[in-house]
Amino acid sequence: MKIDLTDTTAGKVNKALVQGRRAIGTPAVGMVLTLVVVTDEENAYDALKAAGDASHEHPSRTLVVIRRVSRSPRDRTTSRLDAEVRVGADAGSGETVILRLYGEVADHADSVVLPLLLPDAPVVAWWPVNAPVDPARDPLGALAQRRVTDTYSSEQPVRELSARADAYTPGDTDLSWTRITPWRSMLAAALDQVVCEVRAVEVEGEEFNPSCELLAMWLADRLDVPVKRSLSSGPGLTAVRMQTSEGPIALDRADGSLATLSIDGQPDRAVALKRRETAELIAEELRRLDPDDTYASALRFGVERLNASASPAAEPVREAPAAQAAPVAQAQASPAAQAPEPSAKGEPAAEAAAPEAAAPEAAAKEPLKKRVKAP
């Protein structure tokens, strides 16, 4: 059922919701949250479809906020609110209200949205495109417990990641981070099968794909090893290769759907690792409303690495060690050295020159320090 309202108010929209529920005999008690989608007219259809599909798992009231551009000075001074109310089969498993804001009211969208929020229910704000630099300080973001952005839709994704880290507030998250959840789970499961020490990692993927950067940041943050970021033609993430004390571990996905997990000494295994649709990503984010500390840690580590990438001393944080090595004694003598110089085999020289007869306790504990923890 659809109800169109022209030049209306938030109070009339609430009355239309009650009228629509009575007409189809559907109560509102089954909805678990309010999803506020802030988008433009061009991307509204895709965002509505994704929110509607996600509502089958999370019945919710979806408020779509569209700020319409006023083309003339006269229109800019004229405030108007048009609404389209959808209930029943037209709104998935919840309710949908499309709000089109004209003129000065577009600058006060929070005043329109606030009366339409479900009482005593969590609020999630989602910006499919054109997210604010600081979502928590945005008037609509301030109403929400969770704020979902997507750096993949920005013009400069890597710089956007840096801005996201500077403005991070608990409750912020990114669909580029959600896209790598299967990769993080698979890599953690692979390392659980082998007691080893990870020495270097290579992440391969498209050039301007923030998911590749986030995965590299997460691995560097959790493993504390050099991570090399290499490029491929995609689609998306294509491979992660880890050099360990027990041999290489690789997860390759060349076609965007089926990956191959290779562990030294074990047969190769085919793994389903398809690229997921936006509706699946949103549904995953709506499953948890608490802050994602793992995302925050990886994001902040990445900003330090990106900002320091122009300095030669910080290159090992982003790139794997070079083939040429310096003597171990020289690396230890220099007080400014932040990390051990690499050996000729691509391993850190401090590890390569470690005594073979190490204490049994240290040998048992050291591999655990550099293993990925399951997300």
Side-chain angles (χ1 to χ4, degrees), residues 202-276:
E202 178 184 4
V203 177
E204 180 184 272
E206 292 175 328
E207 182 176 3
F208 299 108
N209 191 312
S211 295
C212 302
E213 297 290 336
L214 281 169
L215 184 61
M217 297 172 192
W218 175 68
L219 289 168
D221 179 47
R222 302 307 294 267
L223 294 175
D224 193 21
V225 298
V227 176
K228 178 182 178 181
R229 173 74 168 87
S230 58
L231 304 180
S232 70
S233 58
L237 270 164
T238 53
V240 175
R241 303 179 183 93
M242 295 184 287
Q243 299 297 327
T244 75
S245 57
E246 300 298 324
I249 298 176
L251 185 61
D252 287 277
R253 186 190 68 177
D255 60 357
S257 59
L258 188 64
T260 301
L261 177 63
S262 303
I263 301 178
D264 193 47
Q266 300 183 17
D268 292 350
R269 279 163 280 186
V271 179
L273 207 62
K274 71 179 183 69
R275 306 187 73 192
R276 297 183 293 169

Side-chain angles (χ1 to χ4, degrees), residues 27-334:
V29 294
M31 290 179 287
V32 297
L33 57 88
T34 303
L35 176 62
V36 181
V37 184
V38 188
T39 184
D40 53 22
E41 201 70 63
E42 179 183 358
N43 297 277
Y45 175 81
D46 293 335
L48 267 171
K49 185 177 185 304
D53 293 342
S55 71
H56 293 291
E57 182 177 342
H58 308 278
S60 58
R61 173 177 290 180
T62 302
L63 306 177
V64 182
V65 179
I66 302 174
R67 294 182 173 95
R68 298 298 298 267
V69 178
S70 300
R71 302 187 179 278
S72 66
R74 183 177 182 180
D75 291 338
R76 296 189 189 102
T77 60
T78 303
S79 298
R80 192 175 92 232
L81 170 64
D82 293 345
E84 180 182 335
V85 178
R86 301 181 182 181
V87 293
D90 293 317
S93 297
E95 301 172 341
T96 300
V97 180
I98 304 174
L99 304 169
R100 291 182 171 87
L101 285 64
Y102 299 81
E104 294 180 353
V105 72
D107 298 328
H108 304 280
D110 54 317
S111 300
V112 177
V113 168
L114 185 60
L116 301 177
L117 301 178
L118 287 173
D120 302 324
V123 180
V124 178
W126 172 35
W127 291 266
V129 294
N130 302 324
V133 175
D134 190 347
R137 292 183 178 272
D138 183 84
L140 289 174
L143 301 175
Q145 286 77 42
R146 283 285 268 184
R147 296 163 292 277
V148 184
T149 59
D150 191 356
T151 52
Y152 187 78
S153 64
S154 63
E155 294 183 0
Q156 297 179 324
V158 177
R159 288 190 180 182
E160 193 77 10
L161 287 176
S162 180
R164 288 280 172 267
D166 292 338
Y168 176 81
T169 302
D172 293 352
T173 191
D174 195 317
L175 292 187
S176 296
W177 172 255
T178 316
R179 290 184 180 96
I180 63 173
T181 299
W183 285 83
R184 295 190 296 121
S185 300
M186 192 59 60
L187 292 171
L191 287 176
D192 281 341
Q193 301 179 33
V194 182
V195 179
C196 63
E197 177 185 356
V198 181
R199 294 171 175 170
V201 180
E202 178 184 4
V203 177
E204 180 184 272
E206 292 175 328
E207 182 176 3
F208 299 108
N209 191 312
S211 295
C212 302
E213 297 290 336
L214 281 169
L215 184 61
M217 297 172 192
W218 175 68
L219 289 168
D221 179 47
R222 302 307 294 267
L223 294 175
D224 193 21
V225 298
V227 176
K228 178 182 178 181
R229 173 74 168 87
S230 58
L231 304 180
S232 70
S233 58
L237 270 164
T238 53
V240 175
R241 303 179 183 93
M242 295 184 287
Q243 299 297 327
T244 75
S245 57
E246 300 298 324
I249 298 176
L251 185 61
D252 287 277
R253 186 190 68 177
D255 60 357
S257 59
L258 188 64
T260 301
L261 177 63
S262 303
I263 301 178
D264 193 47
Q266 300 183 17
D268 292 350
R269 279 163 280 186
V271 179
L273 207 62
K274 71 179 183 69
R275 306 187 73 192
R276 297 183 293 169
E277 300 293 334
T278 305
E280 298 179 66
L281 303 177
I282 287 295
E284 178 182 328
E285 285 300 332
L286 295 181
R287 291 183 198 127
R288 56 175 301 172
L289 299 175
D290 57 315
D292 192 340
D293 295 332
T294 306
Y295 165 69
S297 179
L299 190 65
R300 286 166 176 162
F301 175 88
V303 166
E304 296 173 2
R305 177 175 63 83
L306 292 173
N307 291 342
S309 60
S311 172
E315 276 297 321
V317 179
R318 179 179 177 89
E319 302 290 338
Q324 297 180 353
V328 179
Q330 180 180 356
Q332 296 176 347
S334 176

Side-chain angles (χ1 to χ4, degrees), residues 330-347:
Q330 180 180 356
Q332 296 176 347
S334 176
Q338 300 296 326
E341 291 294 328
S343 68
K345 296 183 179 180
E347 303 172 358

